[in-house]
Each structure stands twice: as structure tokens, then as C-alpha cells.
Amino acid sequence: MDAVGLASFFREIAELYSAEQLTFLCIGTDRSTGDALGPLTGSRLLEYGFPNVTGTLPSPCDADNLVQRITEIPEGQIIIAVDACLGPPAALGCYFAAAQPLRPAQSVGLLLPAVGNYSLAAIVDVNSPRPYRTLQTTPLYRVILMADQIAQAAAQGFGLTD
């Protein structure tokens, strides 16, 4: 889906749950341009007023602390997992959203637990034989734009903005 479709995705979730029932689990690190999508999105979601966000620029949720951070989410919360990913050239700048868990770090070959009741993967760059290098050299502008689009669509979907 494109950025316009994101608001519909979040509206559907908002019809079932209040913002207080949700935790956004924004996965990534600020040490890699492409992988900074999660913490950038998390920080923007807090600015819009979402009460439960795990993974921000000051406190990222990355491969090293993901399992610990998941255990800190209160039981019963509905989790929306957000992560950057690599994809085919035709999907660059698009989003995959689903009512199912997200498998973080698949594009770089890590085996981390599937997380979330809902998942949102943002295709920040194109698949390559060297995924770590691709994520490190992903244009920052694209990542910031996509993080802003996700946060704005969530805020619209939950009625936190006009």
C-alpha cells in the first residue's frame, strides 16, 4: 500500500481499539540510516500524543534488546509492530500492513521472534546481496518521509489530528 492507504489501515484498528489499548513497537536503531525508521516513527508517534510507544530515538528497540523490550509491554496490550525492510524496486517507498505478527530483521538474516498483533513494514530500500550496507546507505530523507507518513496516518486514523 501507499501512504494514503496507511490511514485506512489505522482507522480499521481504531474502530476496534482505543489508543490507550495499543502499544506501538517501533523496531530499529539510529545507528543505520535505513534501520532508523522505527525509532524515528516512535518519536513522531509520541509527538502526536500516542501514550504507549516502545522504540524511539532516545530509547531504540533493536535486535540487541527486542526480547527484553517486549517483556516490558503490559499484558493485554494490542501491539502494532513497525519496522523497515528491503524489497523489490517496484515496491520502494511502499508499505506492507497486515493483521498478523511482523518478523523483524528478516532482510538481514537475523532470527528474532515474530511480534505484534498488527504489522507495518516500510520498504525503505531495494533488496541487495549486502543488506547491511544497503540499510546503512539508504537515503535519510526517504526514511524520515516514511516515518512521518506512518505517524501522520496513525494520528489521522485515531483522530488525533485533522
Side-chain angles (χ1 to χ4, degrees), residues 25-142:
L25 181 63
C26 301
I27 303 163
T29 179
D30 61 346
R31 296 179 182 195
S32 170
T33 307
D35 207 27
L37 177 103
L40 283 164
T41 301
S43 292
R44 293 288 287 141
L45 289 166
L46 285 177
E47 290 172 11
Y48 277 111
F50 283 96
N52 305 307
V53 178
T54 298
T56 61
L57 285 170
S59 182
C61 177
D62 58 25
D64 294 333
N65 66 14
L66 176 67
V67 173
Q68 174 62 38
R69 300 298 297 273
I70 292 169
T71 65
E72 296 167 359
I73 297 172
E75 195 171 323
Q77 285 284 292
I78 302 302
I79 298 172
I80 301 175
V82 178
D83 197 9
C85 72
L86 302 175
L92 182 62
C94 293
Y95 305 90
F96 290 124
Q100 64 185 30
L102 181 137
R103 298 227 23 120
Q106 272 191 312
S107 57
V108 294
L110 293 180
L111 293 174
L112 295 172
V115 294
N117 304 91
Y118 294 90
S119 59
L120 179 58
I123 303 167
V124 298
D125 216 329
V126 178
N127 276 330
S128 75
R130 296 175 19 198
Y132 281 109
R133 178 142 174 39
T134 300
L135 284 171
Q136 289 174 344
T137 59
T138 297
L140 180 60
Y141 177 76
R142 181 184 309 135

